[in-house]
Amino acid sequence: MAASIGSLLAEISDLENPIEELEVLKTALLAIPLNALGDTVRGQRLDVIFSLLNTNDSVQIELCVDILGRVLQALSPVHLVQNCRDELKSGLTHSDDSVKILALTQISRIVKHPEAVTEVLNNHDLLRGVIHCIEAEKISVGKEAIKALTPLSESKPGLDALFRSDLFKELKDVMATSDIVRYRIYELVVDLSSVSAISLGYCANSGFLSQLLGELTGDDVLVRATAIEMATSLAHSQHGRQYLAQQGIMDKISNMIIGADSDPFSSFYLPGLVKFFGNLAIMDSPQQVCESYPAFQNKVFEMALDPDPVMTGVALDTLGVLGSTVEGKQVLGKTGEKFKSVLLRMSQLASSGATELRVRCLEAISILLTLQTEQQTEDLLLLTESWFRLLSDQPIDMIRNISTQPFPELHCGALRIFTAIAHQPWGQKMMLSSPGFMEYVVDRSAGPTKEAKDAKFELVGALVGSSTAATILGSQHYLRLKTYLREGPYHVTAISIVDTEGAE
């Protein structure tokens, strides 16, 4: 096979129009398993294919990119940096974005390899080209460049190269290109900072982080919204949250929430502020966040009652985040009447809102009502039951009506609410007392889609898996549920056809 690959490459090198031969080569390469391809192509004249990238023929470029993508992936990062460095460097400045992405993808492999990256760090030409790809017009090229630079944060030599060498000036020069590129540099800095406290220290000392956080209170509301999104990403790591706290960013964002009431343009960035604290609550402590920054919780409730569907949607998602933990449920429960008003609004939205909001609302309700077996204390069971009963005078019927509507996402959302309460004794009692509900659970004709069948199967599994279900539901219902579970989600009952030919 190596001989045939070599002969194909030799043949291609002598042709003016090699499209057909490139197709043959591509097919031949795809026929070789990737783990065997490296030995096959090592030492072959790959420069032939690289040289064919110097054309305006898009078909030829596409074929060469496909071929090189396959071949280079089979070669080790060390081999690439030692034998293809100049070709990869040229690829970074190619007029076709697919060639740039090909080069960046392979450079990503190189910088992740402890031996190969050393050669790159000793010669910055390749990294300089990657940095300039951040300013590419096509966003996918910029994203790939960021991805190729991020692994440098995992070692001191890599961080030194980015922040304590001539490459630092390259970063600053590229950053000055435009607002869009500036935010790509911020994205890189946040990605680098997230790796470790050491890498965050480099980014902080560079001045990039303080510049990013300064944009939080800028005059341009769209810039402000982007900065908030970046700060939220930075808060995903514990050392990132510590840095933000040291810089007073939590207090600053809390004050921005308070000041949003008097800003006519706050709708552009307010959802981001709320998402910031929502993420913070789930990663740290819902109680601590809600008690330390009451403006956040108050704003979530206010947004849940807001007629603006964008604000309502963010509030619903945030309530789902808060209610996903026991501590979050307890925090919401302590607010008493405030949260009851929100639940009533959620009930209205789930029944008659716009479809997208209804789906998000059903998801939030199912999360709020979910309690794992080990979480089922008397207080928490009373809390989830009280929330469910607030949804309607007949909440089982209300959710069941939603499940019968001809929208698969609503059907599955309603079933997930039933699954949430199926784990809890009070939920099982309410299901049993609702006429026809247990028949509905084992009715396979309701919900013809795969997603619906899976959701129904999960509901049945929740009931069968509960330690109280057999006692509460009774043996007849319980056995039918076990049979349903044993038969699986896609069981179809066979219908026997009686042959009546010849009958009178």
Side-chain angles (χ1 to χ4, degrees):
M1 184 60 78
S4 62
I5 298 293
S7 59
L8 279 170
L9 286 168
E11 185 181 347
I12 287 169
S13 66
D14 295 328
L15 297 172
E16 285 187 20
N17 185 15
I19 298 295
E20 189 174 335
E21 286 70 17
L22 286 170
E23 289 276 15
V24 174
L25 176 60
K26 177 182 171 181
T27 303
L29 291 169
L30 288 171
I32 305 171
L34 197 61
N35 58 2
L37 188 57
D39 292 335
T40 304
V41 298
R42 195 176 292 108
Q44 299 286 0
R45 290 193 56 199
L46 298 182
D47 59 305
V48 172
I49 307 300
F50 277 113
S51 67
L52 290 176
L53 289 169
N54 299 319
T55 179
N56 293 321
D57 187 329
S58 60
V59 175
Q60 182 171 311
I61 290 173
E62 183 180 352
L63 279 168
C64 289
V65 167
D66 288 345
I67 289 167
L68 288 169
R70 176 77 174 168
V71 169
L72 298 180
Q73 195 67 24
L75 296 169
S76 73
V78 174
H79 181 92
L80 289 179
V81 76
Q82 290 174 348
N83 298 278
C84 304
R85 180 199 297 267
D86 291 339
E87 289 83 359
L88 292 175
K89 183 182 170 185
S90 297
L92 296 174
T93 56
H94 198 280
S95 58
D96 191 290
D97 290 324
S98 67
V99 180
K100 289 177 182 171
I101 290 174
L102 169 70
L104 289 166
T105 302
Q106 298 308 318
I107 293 168
S108 286
R109 293 180 60 219
I110 290 168
V111 298
K112 289 174 185 172
H113 191 282
E115 188 180 338
V117 72
T118 303
E119 298 207 24
V120 175
L121 294 176
N122 290 334
N123 185 334
H124 292 169
D125 284 354
L126 211 55
L127 294 177
R128 190 174 290 107
V130 174
I131 288 170
H132 281 279
C133 280
I134 295 175
E135 60 188 345
E137 186 176 345
K138 193 166 186 178
I139 190 170
S140 58
V141 176
K143 292 278 188 186
E144 206 63 45
I146 290 168
K147 195 188 297 183
L149 291 169
T150 303
L152 294 175
S153 62
E154 295 177 8
S155 71
K156 186 177 186 300
L159 289 165
D160 285 340
L162 280 177
F163 294 106
R164 294 179 181 174
S165 76
D166 56 325
L167 294 178
F168 182 62
K169 183 180 184 304
E170 299 286 346
L171 283 170
K172 297 196 82 169
D173 289 345
V174 168
M175 190 179 197
T177 307
S178 68
D179 286 348
I180 291 173
V181 176
R182 183 167 88 254
Y183 275 89
R184 288 183 192 170
I185 296 292
Y186 286 151
E187 184 180 341
L188 168 64
V189 168
V190 170
D191 287 351
L192 294 169
S193 298
S194 300
V195 172
S196 68
I198 293 171
S199 61
L200 184 144
Y202 273 82
C203 294
N205 291 335
S206 72
F208 284 140
L209 281 180
S210 57
Q211 187 176 342
L212 164 60
L213 297 176
E215 308 253 24
L216 285 169
T217 50
D219 294 332
D220 188 325
V221 291
L222 295 178
V223 168
R224 196 183 299 181
T226 308
I228 292 161
E229 193 176 326
M230 298 284 182
T232 302
S233 296
L234 190 59
H236 285 157
S237 65
Q238 186 174 0
H239 59 270
R241 293 194 294 278
Q242 288 173 346
Y243 174 79
L244 291 172
Q246 289 164 3
Q247 301 301 310
I249 298 304
M250 280 70 162
D251 292 327
K252 183 179 285 189
I253 291 179
S254 178
N255 290 332
M256 289 171 71
I257 289 176
I258 295 168
D261 291 336
S262 57
D263 183 354
F265 300 106
S266 64
S267 60
F268 288 102
Y269 60 85
L270 186 56
L273 300 177
V274 170
K275 287 178 184 176
F276 174 86
F277 277 118
N279 278 283
L280 207 62
I282 200 64
M283 287 180 287
D284 279 345
S285 157
Q287 182 174 339
Q288 184 180 332
V289 169
C290 290
E291 287 180 358
S292 301
Y293 309 101
F296 156 64
Q297 184 175 278
N298 292 335
K299 183 57 69 175
V300 172
F301 289 172
E302 185 183 309
M303 288 167 69
L305 304 173
D306 196 304
D308 183 344
V310 174
M311 295 298 172
T312 306
V314 172
L316 291 172
D317 295 345
T318 307
L319 288 168
V321 167
L322 286 174
S324 64
T325 65
V326 166
E327 187 180 309
K329 287 177 170 63
Q330 291 169 330
V331 167
L332 293 171
K334 287 176 185 175
T335 64
E337 294 301 319
K338 286 184 180 180
F339 189 56
K340 287 181 181 178
S341 300
V342 170
L343 279 171
L344 291 172
R345 166 76 166 152
M346 292 172 76
S347 171
Q348 293 166 0
L349 286 172
S351 298
S352 58
T355 302
E356 185 195 349
L357 271 185
R358 294 179 75 184
V359 172
R360 291 165 82 173
C361 195
L362 292 170
E363 178 66 17
I365 291 171
S366 69
I367 293 171
L368 287 164
L369 294 175
T370 297
L371 280 178
Q372 303 304 322
T373 304
E374 65 276 9
Q375 298 170 342
Q376 292 182 17
T377 63
E378 185 178 346
D379 288 347
L380 285 170
L381 286 169
L382 285 171
L383 183 66
T384 52
E385 182 180 359
S386 69
W387 285 351
F388 187 69
R389 289 186 182 279
L390 272 173
L391 296 176
S392 167
D393 291 338
Q394 299 292 333
I396 292 281
D397 292 343
M398 170 199 157
I399 303 300
R400 184 175 168 185
N401 286 339
I402 295 172
S403 78
T404 59
Q405 294 176 19
F407 299 99
E409 60 269 41
L410 293 178
H411 179 86
C412 293
L415 287 175
R416 279 192 285 272
I417 291 177
F418 286 139
T419 301
I421 68 170
H423 290 281
Q424 302 171 59
W426 64 261
Q428 295 158 14
K429 289 173 184 175
M430 289 183 74
M431 288 177 176
L432 184 64
S433 63
S434 178
F437 185 82
M438 295 311 299
E439 287 70 25
Y440 159 79
V441 173
V442 293
D443 179 7
R444 290 185 180 275
S445 66
T449 67
K450 177 184 182 302
E451 291 77 14
K453 292 179 187 297
D454 288 341
K456 177 68 78 69
F457 190 70
E458 192 175 341
L459 167 58
V460 173
L463 286 167
V464 172
S466 169
S467 60
T468 57
T471 303
I472 292 172
L473 300 178
S475 58
Q476 184 179 352
H477 289 309
Y478 190 70
L479 288 173
R480 288 179 71 187
L481 290 168
K482 287 190 75 173
T483 300
Y484 189 113
L485 199 67
R486 186 179 63 252
E487 291 172 343
Y490 315 118
H491 175 76
V492 177
T493 303
I495 301 173
S496 59
I497 300 174
V498 178
D499 187 353
T500 58
E501 185 177 348
E504 292 186 10

